Amino acid sequence: MVFKKMLSAFGVGGPSVDTVLANPNTRPGLTLDGHVNLVGGDAPASIEQITVGLVTRVEIEGGDSEYAGIMEFHRMAVSGPLELAPKQQLAIPFQLPVPWETPVTDVYGQRLHGMTMGLRTELAVARAVDKSDLDHVAVHPLPIHERILDAFQALGFRFKHADLERGHIRGVQQTLPFYQEIEFFAAPQYARTVTEVELTFVTSQRGVEVILECDKRGGFLSAGHDVVGRYAVPHADADRTDWVQVVDGWLRETTSRYGNQRAHGFGAPHGHGRGHGMGGVVAGTALGVAGGLVAGELIGDAFEGDFGDFGGDFE
């Protein structure tokens, strides 16, 4: 779907922009290829810079509340200064690298409920900036992600929700200012011990750090609590491992070691407004992460309903 919009910051008769992606589907570590198509307005325009950036919805904590904001987390200039004559048509190609840690938005051909992703085009002309062109992007899992997600499905876990939490996971090297939580209802064989499991991938060129947070059921005389397990796997293992057996082992190991994690400061909620999440693994509070983040403004209404219902198919 292509959105062609007059640049509102420049008024009626100003230039228009139309960004066209060769393919809106991509994966972490690959690229998004496309063209920024410009059409001159009624008068010459001196364009200072054209950039494209990936934007997504992130859950942000502030004090005792939590809210969602739209954050740009990766950007690239596709053009420096140029002169655009009246009615001139200009196509500028680009190839935007997709960061390895970019969260997955689509699995099995379905948009993950709770996820949003778009490519925003920004033009700067005479100190005015317009960010009105926004195109849908679908980020599909890498093979290692697919095998692990397949294993969760094979073990009987049911997908509940996915979102992005602003913050960093202690002990994990992150390049982005947020991490993704993919939440599952517990499979029947784990239901006596666990109510839900949250799965986080922190991906690099070498492999994936897998963080599991299991919400353990409370007993007759004890409260429930969260336990966390962390595992590193290389990309090369994607097709040479029995992932059902591996994931089952991770889950059983994680849920059996609450006492050890509690002794090392893990498991209890720490700086998390909802009282759950990554618990003590999250370093500090979300507010400890510098506001702004990468190019960083929060653009609360950036999507303006263009994305529709993210719980179903992506058009």
Side-chain angles (χ1 to χ4, degrees):
M1 184 180 296
V2 174
F3 301 93
K4 186 173 183 180
K5 300 179 181 178
M6 190 68 68
L7 299 181
S8 57
F10 312 135
V12 176
S16 64
V17 62
D18 176 15
T19 297
V20 179
L21 290 171
N23 186 346
N25 299 283
T26 189
R27 300 180 194 273
L30 300 183
T31 63
L32 281 168
D33 301 348
H35 287 79
V36 176
N37 298 321
L38 299 174
V39 179
D42 296 336
S46 297
I47 295 176
E48 297 170 358
Q49 189 178 56
I50 304 172
T51 62
V52 293
L54 288 170
V55 295
T56 190
R57 182 177 290 118
V58 179
E59 299 294 325
I60 301 161
E61 294 180 3
D64 295 328
S65 63
E66 185 175 53
Y67 59 95
I70 301 301
M71 180 183 295
E72 180 181 85
F73 65 92
H74 180 59
R75 63 159 39 196
M76 181 184 75
V78 299
S79 173
L82 61 89
E83 298 295 322
L84 189 65
K87 308 304 179 184
Q88 179 184 359
Q89 297 184 19
L90 186 62
I92 302 172
F94 66 86
Q95 189 174 66
L96 177 69
V98 177
W100 284 97
E101 287 178 31
T102 301
V104 172
T105 66
D106 290 66
V107 178
Y108 309 126
Q110 297 285 323
R111 175 60 54 106
L112 289 178
H113 179 69
M115 292 304 303
T116 66
M117 187 72 65
L119 182 75
R120 187 184 66 182
T121 306
E122 176 182 301
L123 272 74
V125 179
R127 292 187 293 277
V129 176
D130 196 288
K131 303 168 180 165
S132 58
D133 195 35
L134 189 69
D135 295 272
H136 300 277
V137 171
V139 182
H140 299 268
L142 291 166
I144 191 70
H145 301 146
E146 290 180 338
R147 303 302 180 270
I148 294 171
L149 291 169
D150 287 347
F152 270 88
Q153 186 180 51
L155 287 166
F157 286 85
R158 292 183 298 115
F159 173 74
K160 177 184 177 184
H161 182 74
D163 65 10
L164 303 179
E165 297 285 339
R166 191 173 87 163
H168 287 78
I169 303 170
R170 181 176 297 145
V172 176
Q173 186 174 357
Q174 287 176 243
T175 62
L176 297 184
F178 53 74
Y179 54 90
Q180 183 177 34
E181 291 182 340
I182 303 174
E183 301 176 20
F184 296 92
F185 294 109
Q189 66 268 36
Y190 305 93
R192 294 183 63 182
T193 306
V194 175
T195 56
E196 295 178 2
V197 174
E198 294 177 355
L199 167 66
T200 293
F201 296 122
V202 180
T203 308
S204 69
Q205 188 171 0
R206 299 179 303 279
V208 180
E209 289 226 45
V210 180
I211 298 94
L212 300 178
E213 182 180 13
C214 299
D215 182 7
K216 291 197 71 176
R217 288 187 181 276
F220 179 65
L221 297 176
S222 63
H225 49 259
D226 295 344
V227 290
V228 177
R230 195 174 113 199
Y231 306 91
V233 291
H235 290 293
D237 281 0
D239 293 321
R240 60 189 190 199
T241 300
D242 181 346
W243 285 107
V244 172
Q245 182 179 19
V246 169
V247 171
D248 178 67
W250 288 347
L251 290 163
R252 296 186 186 282
E253 178 185 4
T254 298
T255 56
S256 69
R257 64 188 188 192
Y258 169 65
N260 182 56
Q261 290 199 2
R262 180 170 56 182
H264 288 83
F266 295 105
H270 180 82
H272 221 275
R274 292 182 300 173
H276 70 287
M278 281 300 168
V281 176
V282 177
T285 66
L287 292 179
V289 183
L293 305 173
V294 189
E297 71 247 44
L298 298 174
I299 320 115
D301 297 323
F303 289 103
E304 295 180 346
D306 282 344
F307 283 80
D309 180 5
F310 280 83
D313 289 329
F314 180 70
E315 297 180 359

